[in-house]
């Protein structure tokens, strides 16, 4: 059998005679057997019971495989089944004689309705899936029937049903060819199909319980014969009217119905959207919408336990959501998060063992339209546009090391150029950062020659910038299509202030930077691209290849460095998974060059860079259809890449990017993972193994050779890099796919 049909044909084998999953069978046997026998009562519904041989199901499977091949154009295909038994186990073999393939010779049509015939002719010249010379395929006939149905539904034919399309296939030929004849029938007792127009549209908004409530509805009558009755009393009629597309005089179009349905759901204010039609007469329709709102407000508390480098702690957060703040489906989200990390090596009671504290606060107000100071056309046919006002604050303190206060306020616009092309523009982003080093730690850095860390972390900075991002094919990420994905982002800061500095004589600080209100401003450009290739390999198997690269260039007012928040880091659950986040690179940099004190205090501060090049190769496949209520999927992967410093830096020896050296500084990790797919979200577990580690020299970079000599290797590493410990395997837990 041709390989392209083998996977599909296997789906026609009856499930009750398919081989068991060894994992699920083991779980079932463990839970339901005792003394070598299965339970007959109180059977636990876990795992998968053993498949038992049933010859009738074998015969049904044989016939279905043969019918499947005939539907694919192999009318002379023959399938034989054989059963081999050995030690209470049966092996079923289906022997397929595929035969020759039939191809389509002639295609004729018979369409009684002249207007329908004209519509089909205009369509078929460019888009028909039926072509002379193609392999006969019943799926192509079904696709053509469905396409004609959708075409008619877009042209006003409300009463049209799929059954009006039928095919005749003549294979009574000795040349392995088939003739097709397409029929589109008229409705019974009618000479033509009726075209319908919209007479009026009625919208009823119930309360959150799906009831009409006790109060009278807020009635609004809008242009286009649109009437909105709001029994919840919470929504502005003009906001909803913007995304209800069928209006009086429009020809019935199922695409407009689907577009309205999608946009109303994307307002994120309704849990139920129902559309029905009522005929006013033989050619006009009344559209009725029934909307059930979500609860207006929600609150979510979440917490997690963290463990990193021998330190443990917790994070606790709270998220408050208001889904309809001002009546126009404005979405307000307020988040607060507090985290503490404890170091058991510190002496004293628990509160004296706090290594760092992190408090974050953020608020986002998302408005479902573009708010601009000039008139623009209503946007939304390709996707919901948004205006987002955002503010985020962070207060971070690390014991005897440094403190950081960071604030960013921005306004952003998101809109779709097509269904697959998303633009995001942030015309204004205001940033303020105040960093302070512990005085003793600052003196230690300066005496050790790390003046750049002092300059970048022991002062305040102010930034006014703009950002732009373009994303292509986000909608296809959850499909098994063959496609390309691209995201490009550009971040600019300080150019406006730099132009003003040519006109206004800004005051300079102690290192010669221009300041605004005695605070130096940031000036940099940062660009990043994420390019991926998705390929479907049949069934639920997929290959994904990814390149993620970026560069940040400080210039002008802070040409020596990028601040901490703007630099790239390597490692982590969505990057090179064999390394913990912020523990890879830059380049060949090895933390053994630091003193024990600096190595401890600079953790997560010294492994950053202005250049990033990473790549990922991942093979995804299905493991089990059902595993404790989830679909279990697997993945194997290889990750590679690193980060680099833009220039040679004394604090990161070997960390600068050089064309003749960077290939030898590429880190490589490999591993496998499981994905627990619960439809509404995916819980992910990945284990990555270090294969090549660029912090070492020459052949020693291939650390995979030390995997089975790990104790001696780790002891040696601890002596030179204390308190850092070497881990060959990094475990990653996350929500959602890595990319």
């Amino acid at each position: 059998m041709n390989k392209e049909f083998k996977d599909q044909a296997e789906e026609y084998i009856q499930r009750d005679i398919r081989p068991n999953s060894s994992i699920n069978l083991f779980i079932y046997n463990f839970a339901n057997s005792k003394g070598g026998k299965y339970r007959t009562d109180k059977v636990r519904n876990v795992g998968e019971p053993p498949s038992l041989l049933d010859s009738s199901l074998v015969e049904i499977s044989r016939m279905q495989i043969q019918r499947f091949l005939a539907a694919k154009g192999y009318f002379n295909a023959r399938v034989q089944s054989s059963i081999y038994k050995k030690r209470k186990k049966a092996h079923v073999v289906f022997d397929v004689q595929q035969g020759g393939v039939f191809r389509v010779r002639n295609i004729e049509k018979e369409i009684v309705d002249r207007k329908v015939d004209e519509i089909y002719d205009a369509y078929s010249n460019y888009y028909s899936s039926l072509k002379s010379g193609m392999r006969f395929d019943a799926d192509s006939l079904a696709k053509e029937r469905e396409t004609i149905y959708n075409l008619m539904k877009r042209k006003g034919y409300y009463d049209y049903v799929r059954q009006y399309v039928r095919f005749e296939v003549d294979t009574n030929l000795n040349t392995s060819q088939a003739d097709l004849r397409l029929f589109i029938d008229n409705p019974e007792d009618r000479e033509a199909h009726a075209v319908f127009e919209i007479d009026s549209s009625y919208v009823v908004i119930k309360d959150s319980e799906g009831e009409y409530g006790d109060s009278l509805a807020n009635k609004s009558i809008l242009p286009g014969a649109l009437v909105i009755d709001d029994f919840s009393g919470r929504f502005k009629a003009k906001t909803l009217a913007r995304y209800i597309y069928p209006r009086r005089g429009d020809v019935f179009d199922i695409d407009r119905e689907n577009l309205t349905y999608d946009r109303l759901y994307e307002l994120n204010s309704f849990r139920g959207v129902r559309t029905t039609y009522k005929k006013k007469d033989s050619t006009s329709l009344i559209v009725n919408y029934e909307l059930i709102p979500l609860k207006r407000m929600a609150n979510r508390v979440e917490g997690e336990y963290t463990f990193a480098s021998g330190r443990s702690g917790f994070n606790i957060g709270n998220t408050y959501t208001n889904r309809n703040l001002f009546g126009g489906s404005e979405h307000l989200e307020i988040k607060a998060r507090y985290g503490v990390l404890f170091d058991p090596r510190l002496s004293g009671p628990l509160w004296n063992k706090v290594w760092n504290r992190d408090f974050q606060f953020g608020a986002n107000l998302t408005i479902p339209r573009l708010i601009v100071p000039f008139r623009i056309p209503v946007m939304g046919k390709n996707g919901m546009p948004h205006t987002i006002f955002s503010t985020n604050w962070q207060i971070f303190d690390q014991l005897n090391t440094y403190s950081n206060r960071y604030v960013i306020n921005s306004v952003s616009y998101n809109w779709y150029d097509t269904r697959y092309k998303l633009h995001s523009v942030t015309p204004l982003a205001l940033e303020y950062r105040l960093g302070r080093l512990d005085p003793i730690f600052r003196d230690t850095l300066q005496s050790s020659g790390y003046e750049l860390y002092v300059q970048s972390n022991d002062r305040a900075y102010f930034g006014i910038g703009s950002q732009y991002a373009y994303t292509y094919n986000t909608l296809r990420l959850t499909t098994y299509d063959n496609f390309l994905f691209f995201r490009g982002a550009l971040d600019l800061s300080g150019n406006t202030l730099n132009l003003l500095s040519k006109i206004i004589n800004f005051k300079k600080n102690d290192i010669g930077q221009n300041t605004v209100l005695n605070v130096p401003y940031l000036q940099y450009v940062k660009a990043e691209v994420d390019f991926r290739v998705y390929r479907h390999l049949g069934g639920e198997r997929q290959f994904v290849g990814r390149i993620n690269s970026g560069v940040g260039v400080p210039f002008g007012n802070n040409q020596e460095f990028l601040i901490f928040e703007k630099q790239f880091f390597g490692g982590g659950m969505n990057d090179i998974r064999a390394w913990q986040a912020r523990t890879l690179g830059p380049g060949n940099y090895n933390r053994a060059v630091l003193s024990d004190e600096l190595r401890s205090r600079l953790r997560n501060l010294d492994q950053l860079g202005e250049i990033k090049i990473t790549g990922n190769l991942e093979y995804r496949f299905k493991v089990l259809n059902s595993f404790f209520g989830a679909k279990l999927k697997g993945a194997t992967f290889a990750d590679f890449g690193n980060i680099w410093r833009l220039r040679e830096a004394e604090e990161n020896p070997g960390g600068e990017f050089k064309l003749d050296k960077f290939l030898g500084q590429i880190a490589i990790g490999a591993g496998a993972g499981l994905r627990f797919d619960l439809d509404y979200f995916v819980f992910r577990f990945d284990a990555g193994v270090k294969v090549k580690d660029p912090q070492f020299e020459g052949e020693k970079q291939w650390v995979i050779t030390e995997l089975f000599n790990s104790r001696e290797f780790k002891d040696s590493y601890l002596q030179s890099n204390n308190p850092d410990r070497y881990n060959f395997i990094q475990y990653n837990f996350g929500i959602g796919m890595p990319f």
Side-chain angles (χ1 to χ4, degrees), residues 432-449:
Y432 176 77
R433 178 180 182 270
L434 175 62
R436 287 291 180 258
L437 295 174
D438 177 80
I440 298 176
F441 182 52
R442 181 180 60 237
D443 293 341
T444 302
L445 286 172
Q446 290 175 326
S447 63
S448 302

mmCIF file of all heavy atoms in Angstrom, residues 432-449:
data_model
loop_
_atom_site.group_PDB
_atom_site.id
_atom_site.type_symbol
_atom_site.label_atom_id
_atom_site.label_comp_id
_atom_site.label_asym_id
_atom_site.label_seq_id
_atom_site.Cartn_x
_atom_site.Cartn_y
_atom_site.Cartn_z
ATOM 1 N N TYR A 432 11.106 54.288 33.567
ATOM 2 C CA TYR A 432 11.980 54.867 34.598
ATOM 3 C C TYR A 432 12.546 53.722 35.420
ATOM 4 O O TYR A 432 11.812 52.839 35.865
ATOM 5 C CB TYR A 432 11.211 55.823 35.512
ATOM 6 C CG TYR A 432 12.058 56.371 36.641
ATOM 7 C CD1 TYR A 432 12.981 57.389 36.418
ATOM 8 C CD2 TYR A 432 11.943 55.849 37.930
ATOM 9 C CE1 TYR A 432 13.769 57.888 37.453
ATOM 10 C CE2 TYR A 432 12.731 56.343 38.967
ATOM 11 C CZ TYR A 432 13.637 57.350 38.721
ATOM 12 O OH TYR A 432 14.416 57.838 39.739
ATOM 13 N N ARG A 433 13.863 53.738 35.587
ATOM 14 C CA ARG A 433 14.534 52.689 36.349
ATOM 15 C C ARG A 433 15.488 53.318 37.351
ATOM 16 O O ARG A 433 16.294 54.185 37.007
ATOM 17 C CB ARG A 433 15.314 51.761 35.421
ATOM 18 C CG ARG A 433 16.096 50.667 36.135
ATOM 19 C CD ARG A 433 16.823 49.807 35.113
ATOM 20 N NE ARG A 433 17.555 48.716 35.730
ATOM 21 C CZ ARG A 433 18.827 48.808 36.146
ATOM 22 N NH1 ARG A 433 19.492 49.941 36.018
ATOM 23 N NH2 ARG A 433 19.431 47.763 36.688
ATOM 24 N N LEU A 434 15.389 52.871 38.592
ATOM 25 C CA LEU A 434 16.283 53.328 39.649
ATOM 26 C C LEU A 434 16.962 52.113 40.251
ATOM 27 O O LEU A 434 16.323 51.286 40.904
ATOM 28 C CB LEU A 434 15.516 54.096 40.729
ATOM 29 C CG LEU A 434 16.332 54.516 41.959
ATOM 30 C CD1 LEU A 434 17.468 55.466 41.570
ATOM 31 C CD2 LEU A 434 15.430 55.152 43.014
ATOM 32 N N GLY A 435 18.253 51.972 40.005
ATOM 33 C CA GLY A 435 19.020 50.861 40.555
ATOM 34 C C GLY A 435 20.016 51.354 41.591
ATOM 35 O O GLY A 435 20.630 52.418 41.421
ATOM 36 N N ARG A 436 20.168 50.575 42.647
ATOM 37 C CA ARG A 436 21.108 50.933 43.704
ATOM 38 C C ARG A 436 21.850 49.688 44.159
ATOM 39 O O ARG A 436 21.238 48.672 44.494
ATOM 40 C CB ARG A 436 20.387 51.583 44.899
ATOM 41 C CG ARG A 436 19.918 53.006 44.626
ATOM 42 C CD ARG A 436 21.109 53.952 44.508
ATOM 43 N NE ARG A 436 20.701 55.321 44.245
ATOM 44 C CZ ARG A 436 20.762 55.897 43.057
ATOM 45 N NH1 ARG A 436 21.179 55.201 42.000
ATOM 46 N NH2 ARG A 436 20.401 57.156 42.894
ATOM 47 N N LEU A 437 23.185 49.779 44.131
ATOM 48 C CA LEU A 437 24.017 48.694 44.617
ATOM 49 C C LEU A 437 24.294 48.866 46.099
ATOM 50 O O LEU A 437 24.394 50.003 46.603
ATOM 51 C CB LEU A 437 25.345 48.660 43.858
ATOM 52 C CG LEU A 437 25.275 48.349 42.358
ATOM 53 C CD1 LEU A 437 26.658 48.494 41.744
ATOM 54 C CD2 LEU A 437 24.732 46.953 42.112
ATOM 55 N N ASP A 438 24.410 47.742 46.792
ATOM 56 C CA ASP A 438 24.852 47.789 48.177
ATOM 57 C C ASP A 438 26.238 48.447 48.219
ATOM 58 O O ASP A 438 27.119 48.111 47.408
ATOM 59 C CB ASP A 438 24.922 46.364 48.732
ATOM 60 C CG ASP A 438 25.444 46.323 50.157
ATOM 61 O OD1 ASP A 438 24.670 46.581 51.070
ATOM 62 O OD2 ASP A 438 26.652 46.014 50.292
ATOM 63 N N PRO A 439 26.475 49.431 49.106
ATOM 64 C CA PRO A 439 27.747 50.176 49.102
ATOM 65 C C PRO A 439 28.976 49.273 49.161
ATOM 66 O O PRO A 439 29.958 49.506 48.439
ATOM 67 C CB PRO A 439 27.640 51.065 50.345
ATOM 68 C CG PRO A 439 26.170 51.244 50.557
ATOM 69 C CD PRO A 439 25.549 49.959 50.127
ATOM 70 N N ILE A 440 28.959 48.263 50.021
ATOM 71 C CA ILE A 440 30.119 47.366 50.127
ATOM 72 C C ILE A 440 30.287 46.576 48.838
ATOM 73 O O ILE A 440 31.398 46.398 48.333
ATOM 74 C CB ILE A 440 29.961 46.425 51.345
ATOM 75 C CG1 ILE A 440 29.899 47.241 52.645
ATOM 76 C CG2 ILE A 440 31.089 45.404 51.386
ATOM 77 C CD1 ILE A 440 29.641 46.407 53.886
ATOM 78 N N PHE A 441 29.168 46.120 48.265
ATOM 79 C CA PHE A 441 29.222 45.361 47.018
ATOM 80 C C PHE A 441 29.718 46.243 45.878
ATOM 81 O O PHE A 441 30.492 45.799 45.021
ATOM 82 C CB PHE A 441 27.835 44.798 46.704
ATOM 83 C CG PHE A 441 27.775 43.962 45.456
ATOM 84 C CD1 PHE A 441 28.667 42.918 45.257
ATOM 85 C CD2 PHE A 441 26.832 44.218 44.471
ATOM 86 C CE1 PHE A 441 28.611 42.146 44.111
ATOM 87 C CE2 PHE A 441 26.780 43.454 43.328
ATOM 88 C CZ PHE A 441 27.669 42.412 43.147
ATOM 89 N N ARG A 442 29.308 47.525 45.880
ATOM 90 C CA ARG A 442 29.776 48.445 44.847
ATOM 91 C C ARG A 442 31.292 48.621 44.912
ATOM 92 O O ARG A 442 31.985 48.594 43.890
ATOM 93 C CB ARG A 442 29.089 49.804 44.992
ATOM 94 C CG ARG A 442 29.516 50.814 43.924
ATOM 95 C CD ARG A 442 28.822 52.149 44.095
ATOM 96 N NE ARG A 442 29.141 52.727 45.392
ATOM 97 C CZ ARG A 442 28.249 53.081 46.307
ATOM 98 N NH1 ARG A 442 26.962 52.885 46.080
ATOM 99 N NH2 ARG A 442 28.618 53.620 47.463
ATOM 100 N N ASP A 443 31.807 48.755 46.107
ATOM 101 C CA ASP A 443 33.260 48.898 46.261
ATOM 102 C C ASP A 443 33.984 47.637 45.781
ATOM 103 O O ASP A 443 35.055 47.718 45.165
ATOM 104 C CB ASP A 443 33.605 49.177 47.725
ATOM 105 C CG ASP A 443 33.086 50.538 48.194
ATOM 106 O OD1 ASP A 443 32.789 51.385 47.325
ATOM 107 O OD2 ASP A 443 32.959 50.734 49.420
ATOM 108 N N THR A 444 33.388 46.474 46.061
ATOM 109 C CA THR A 444 33.990 45.212 45.614
ATOM 110 C C THR A 444 34.042 45.141 44.095
ATOM 111 O O THR A 444 35.044 44.727 43.505
ATOM 112 C CB THR A 444 33.196 44.014 46.174
ATOM 113 O OG1 THR A 444 33.176 44.079 47.606
ATOM 114 C CG2 THR A 444 33.823 42.702 45.732
ATOM 115 N N LEU A 445 32.948 45.554 43.435
ATOM 116 C CA LEU A 445 32.913 45.551 41.976
ATOM 117 C C LEU A 445 33.963 46.495 41.394
ATOM 118 O O LEU A 445 34.688 46.149 40.455
ATOM 119 C CB LEU A 445 31.519 45.953 41.483
ATOM 120 C CG LEU A 445 30.396 44.924 41.625
ATOM 121 C CD1 LEU A 445 29.050 45.543 41.274
ATOM 122 C CD2 LEU A 445 30.645 43.708 40.744
ATOM 123 N N GLN A 446 34.051 47.685 41.949
ATOM 124 C CA GLN A 446 34.994 48.668 41.421
ATOM 125 C C GLN A 446 36.438 48.215 41.617
ATOM 126 O O GLN A 446 37.273 48.364 40.720
ATOM 127 C CB GLN A 446 34.755 50.025 42.084
ATOM 128 C CG GLN A 446 33.446 50.677 41.653
ATOM 129 C CD GLN A 446 33.156 51.960 42.391
ATOM 130 O OE1 GLN A 446 33.481 52.109 43.574
ATOM 131 N NE2 GLN A 446 32.526 52.911 41.708
ATOM 132 N N SER A 447 36.720 47.624 42.756
ATOM 133 C CA SER A 447 38.086 47.159 43.005
ATOM 134 C C SER A 447 38.435 45.948 42.145
ATOM 135 O O SER A 447 39.613 45.669 41.912
ATOM 136 C CB SER A 447 38.259 46.810 44.492
ATOM 137 O OG SER A 447 37.402 45.733 44.866
ATOM 138 N N SER A 448 37.401 45.230 41.663
ATOM 139 C CA SER A 448 37.637 44.052 40.818
ATOM 140 C C SER A 448 37.618 44.394 39.330
ATOM 141 O O SER A 448 37.745 43.506 38.489
ATOM 142 C CB SER A 448 36.583 42.981 41.113
ATOM 143 O OG SER A 448 36.591 42.607 42.476
ATOM 144 N N GLY A 449 37.428 45.671 39.004
ATOM 145 C CA GLY A 449 37.446 46.099 37.608
ATOM 146 C C GLY A 449 36.113 46.020 36.903
ATOM 147 O O GLY A 449 36.065 46.108 35.670
#
